[in-house]
Amino acid sequence: MSRTHKAYVRPLDLRQGRIDMTHGSGGRATAQLIEELFVRRLGNAYLGQGNDAAVLPMPPGRLVMSTDAHVVSPLFFPGGDIGCLAVHGTINDLAVVGATPLYLAASFVLEEGFPLSDLARIVESMAAAASAAGVPVVTGDTKVVEKGSGDGVYITTTGVGVVTEGDEWSGDRARPADRIIVSGSIGEHGMAIMAQRENLGFAAAIASDTAALHGLIAAMRASGAAIRVLRDPTRGGVATTLNEIACQSGVGMMLQESALPVRPEVAAACEFLGLDPLYVANEGKVVAIVAPEDAERLLAAMRAHPLGRQAAVIGSVHQDAHSFVQMTTAFGGRRIVDWLTGEQLPRIC
Amino acid sequence: MCLALPCRIVELRPDDRALVELDGVGKEISLALVDDAAVGDYVIVHVGYALSRLDPEEAAKTLALFAELGEAARQERDADPAGR
Amino acid sequence: MRFIDEFRDGELASGLAAAIRRVVRRDREYRFMEFCGGHTHTISRYGLSDLLPHQVRMIHGPGCPVCVLPIGRIDMAIRLVRDAGVMLCSYGDPMRVPASGGLSLLKAKAGPGRASGSDIRMIYSAADALLVARQNPQRQVVLLAIGFETTTPPTALVIKQAQALGLGNFSVLCCHVLTPPAIASILDSPEVRQGGSVGIDGLVGPAHVSTIIGTQPYEFVAEQYRKPVVVAGFEPLDVMQAILMLIEQVNAGRALVENQFSRAVTREGNRKAQNLMAEVFELRRSFAWRGLGDLPFSALRIRREFAEFDAERRFAIRYEAVADHPACECGAILRGVKRPSQCRLFASVCTPENPVGSCMVSSEGACAAHYSFGRFADLERVS
């Protein structure tokens, strides 16, 4: 691609410039955008090949693949932005089935008029996240849609990883008496996003928990604990994730409300909006179902990792043909923790 | 119905407005429906408006009563462990 | 959270539960209606029924503004958007309420026609609607104002503010309803009046409504109907204490209005807010409540002096009654005559994802609360 470089009259104006339709036309403007904005930041040997597809070395094991479209409003929020979120989201999807993430592909849908400065910030954040995680972005694509047809930028990331045969985790393996562990305080990503929405007018020091979890998960595997299921409780929160696992495994679950790690600001913001932190999205947490005798060992391994300091056992699995997830409330009563219904809307009553 | 929360007033602002706080979450609300609210007072907030002031003494009395009722029940049970 | 967490203390709860067990008479049943959806939510969310002796039965009342909003009112809001081209501001709660033709505000927002994302806005405060009107001077902006006496004073304030600002593009679709007439309607309903299997022995009165109206407006319940009323806070310990106070009144044969929520409620209520409501609103001769039917003098409309801010007048739209699903038991459930599990639509046709009746829409509705938090109890009973 560097051969075309000399053909550019002027470098991209990363201060004042905006995306226009020519950036998606496939012509010289597209090539310039890719080279000066994307490749320069995300640069690695595979991306630098400049071909239509990346040709990659493949370690032994079974191939694991996952894809995730990222749309978020606002694009920048405390604790992160759509760029690092797109990297973390796909890495985590690979890691929770037991894979070692290897490579990412990223596809951008840009809205005409989107500031190049914001795009550069997003791509820098992606690059930093990918480099910190040790998972390079090896191929990509951009398209431009007319103003009004998009929300600034959408990013789809696809990830490839490997897992040793027999080492993968699946949602149908929870067994009665297993323990349920969550890696840290819940509801932070969702509330950080909500607090940013202007019409709610909150001032709260809540940052998104967005993070790549494969390091923590590798430490969990290394502990030797008999992990049955792992899952990252994103949309729909911990409640929805546990309901998915309960249904897949055909078991019931009983949570202890007093054991749920929730930061006070998150709890307070949830009170304001009439929301339940169990249903609020996380982007840097993992839920583990583990054999009862190994729960302490796994917990210790998680707490020794920076992303698992606040890990806690929040409940246990039991036999239940209805696959209900229930909770003993801090008050001493019992209730169902159901699937999320519809969208989480702020309530006044 | 009517989700409302007790929040502490941390700052009075012009036009009958105030900044309130609940465990590290701040929000600007209207004091137009209550009289003489001052910084440090707790108010019950609904859809961005303070509905009334919360009386900390009454709250303390209610809590004390909870404890008393529980204690009385416990003593009776201890005195009559077989139950009636 | 000060003044919240203390009132959710599990240890105090077991003490209160013991106190309740101590006063409950074994030879009778106690049937109390919590009028308000807030209390219904508390009872379900904290699993209070597990702490109460089986002699105490809580009946969920109609005090949920979303649940009692008739289909025709949501239809009016959708017509304003689709036919009159207004920008509608709504609290989050009514967005999912089913309207005619399989619509809801959320679906109208997503569906074809004039409505687009920007035409139906979710707001958190009445003041936000005023702001939307000021930011969009070229558009007509309508606030869909729902709620009981708690939510009414803020609406009165924004109408007065709009008048002071001379805002020509702001109006209110007023659906505010009143608590005391709804209580009277339940106590007057034949099933409840006859006593017997569906009698009510006492009422838990609303917390936040009462910060505005005080406890005085409930005195007719004690005097005319001889039923005790305890106005209670929304935290679980508040509800338990209120139940204890009601049991003691019933045992002593008393019928008084008592105030458990003394930390925020007085007998007189908030005079400033009451005066403001009286200045801006007047009684409607009749208003249709979902499930309860037409109740006389049970709702508010905007006074003539503020007519230009009344969306019904400005856009000349009328309420048209729409029949509920014939098998839906919301009416009987709202009056405490039936339980959610006694409706044959419950949890089969009617679920929180596809609500048929209003009680399934709001998380405070009796059916939704039971579906989301308590339906395992039905299964245990069956199995």
Side-chain angles (χ1 to χ4, degrees), chain C residues 53-350:
Chain C
H54 63 88
Q55 289 95 335
V56 178
R57 190 183 140 199
M58 299 307 292
I59 297 160
H60 310 315
C64 159
V66 169
C67 305
V68 297
L69 199 62
I71 295 174
R73 287 263 146 200
I74 300 285
D75 287 351
M76 283 169 89
I78 293 175
R79 283 212 306 275
L80 280 174
V81 176
R82 293 207 157 168
D83 303 341
V86 311
M87 205 181 246
L88 186 83
C89 293
S90 168
Y91 295 115
D93 313 61
M95 298 291 284
R96 294 199 298 125
V97 177
S100 298
L103 280 176
S104 67
L105 288 175
L106 266 187
K107 285 180 185 157
K109 189 175 159 183
R114 285 179 74 162
S116 73
S118 65
D119 290 328
I120 298 178
R121 301 240 183 142
M122 202 169 63
I123 49 151
Y124 180 76
S125 166
D128 298 339
L130 206 61
L131 197 66
V132 171
R134 295 178 74 178
Q135 286 168 346
N136 295 278
Q138 78 292 359
R139 296 289 301 270
Q140 282 291 329
V141 174
V142 175
L143 167 65
L144 172 59
I146 59 147
F148 283 86
E149 293 90 335
T150 328
T151 321
T152 313
T155 308
L157 269 176
V158 294
I159 290 176
K160 285 195 68 176
Q161 276 171 327
Q163 190 185 49
L165 290 165
L167 222 54
N169 68 327
F170 177 77
S171 58
V172 171
L173 179 58
C174 178
C175 304
H176 286 303
V177 288
L178 301 172
T179 303
I183 293 181
S185 130
I186 287 162
L187 295 174
D188 278 335
S189 79
E191 307 98 323
V192 174
R193 263 231 293 238
Q194 285 160 11
S197 64
V198 288
I200 292 172
D201 297 309
L203 281 163
V204 179
H208 296 138
V209 160
S210 306
T211 63
I212 303 294
I213 68 173
T215 61
Q216 194 183 8
Y218 309 109
E219 286 170 6
F220 78 97
V221 179
E223 285 157 15
Q224 292 171 35
Y225 297 88
R226 302 290 309 148
K227 305 282 183 201
V229 179
V230 176
V231 169
F234 279 140
E235 298 304 335
L237 286 177
D238 292 322
V239 178
M240 291 192 67
Q241 193 193 10
I243 290 168
L244 177 64
M245 290 163 80
L246 282 171
I247 294 172
E248 284 174 334
Q249 283 207 46
V250 169
N251 286 352
R254 279 183 288 141
L256 300 172
V257 175
E258 292 181 313
N259 181 9
Q260 185 279 335
F261 199 37
S262 58
R263 60 187 186 275
V265 166
T266 59
R267 180 167 182 268
E268 294 73 31
N270 183 338
R271 290 272 190 231
K272 194 175 181 182
Q274 290 167 17
N275 292 339
L276 201 64
M277 282 199 284
E279 186 187 342
V280 177
F281 298 107
E282 61 189 5
L283 286 175
R284 286 182 196 261
R285 192 165 287 282
S286 178
F287 191 79
W289 291 56
R290 201 166 188 177
L292 299 181
D294 292 322
L295 302 184
F297 303 108
S298 63
L300 298 172
R301 71 168 180 201
I302 296 166
R303 280 187 188 278
R304 198 179 297 275
E305 295 88 311
F306 297 90
E308 57 178 312
F309 302 102
D310 185 346
E312 288 179 60
R313 288 189 173 108
R314 178 174 290 186
F315 300 100
I317 49 161
R318 293 177 65 114
Y319 170 74
E320 280 163 38
V322 179
D324 281 316
H325 191 290
C328 173
E329 297 281 12
C330 276
I333 291 165
L334 287 173
R335 292 194 304 278
V337 176
K338 285 200 170 159
R339 300 180 201 219
S341 50
Q342 289 170 315
C343 172
R344 63 188 176 83
L345 301 184
F346 179 76
S348 56
V349 178
C350 183

Side-chain angles (χ1 to χ4, degrees), chain A residues 200 202-203 265 268 274 348-349, chain B residues 2-3 5 22 25-27 46-47:
Chain A
L200 297 178
F202 278 113
E265 302 90 308
I348 62 150
C349 53
Chain B
C2 309
L3 202 74
L5 292 170
L22 176 74
V25 176
K27 180 157 178 63
H46 172 65
V47 297

Side-chain angles (χ1 to χ4, degrees), chain A residues 60 62 152 266 314 330:
Chain A
R62 303 194 74 177
V266 171
I314 59 168

Side-chain angles (χ1 to χ4, degrees), chain A residues 210-288:
Chain A
T210 179
L213 292 166
H214 59 312
L216 170 67
I217 292 170
M220 291 165 72
R221 190 190 283 284
S223 77
I227 296 171
R228 318 269 204 216
V229 185
L230 278 193
R231 194 134 310 165
D232 53 335
T234 54
R235 279 175 303 178
V238 168
T240 303
T241 294
L242 291 179
N243 273 287
E244 285 166 10
I245 299 171
C247 279
Q248 264 182 285
S249 296
V251 294
M253 295 182 181
M254 181 62 84
L255 309 181
Q256 301 297 325
E257 188 175 27
S258 52
L260 290 176
V262 185
R263 285 184 50 203
E265 302 90 308
V266 171
C270 281
E271 287 287 336
F272 261 116
L273 299 176
L275 303 179
D276 185 337
L278 276 169
Y279 293 91
V280 180
N282 308 277
E283 291 290 347
K285 295 296 176 316
V286 65
V287 166

Side-chain angles (χ1 to χ4, degrees), chain A residues 2 6 9 13 20 28 52 54 68 81 89 96 134 148 170 186 210 213 223 244 253 259-260 313 318 329:
Chain A
S2 52
K6 292 183 182 63
V9 180
D13 180 359
D20 60 49
R28 195 167 280 155
D52 283 351
D68 207 343
D81 54 68
V96 291
S170 162
I186 62 172
T210 179
L213 292 166
S223 77
E244 285 166 10
M253 295 182 181
L260 290 176
V313 176
H318 59 257
T329 69

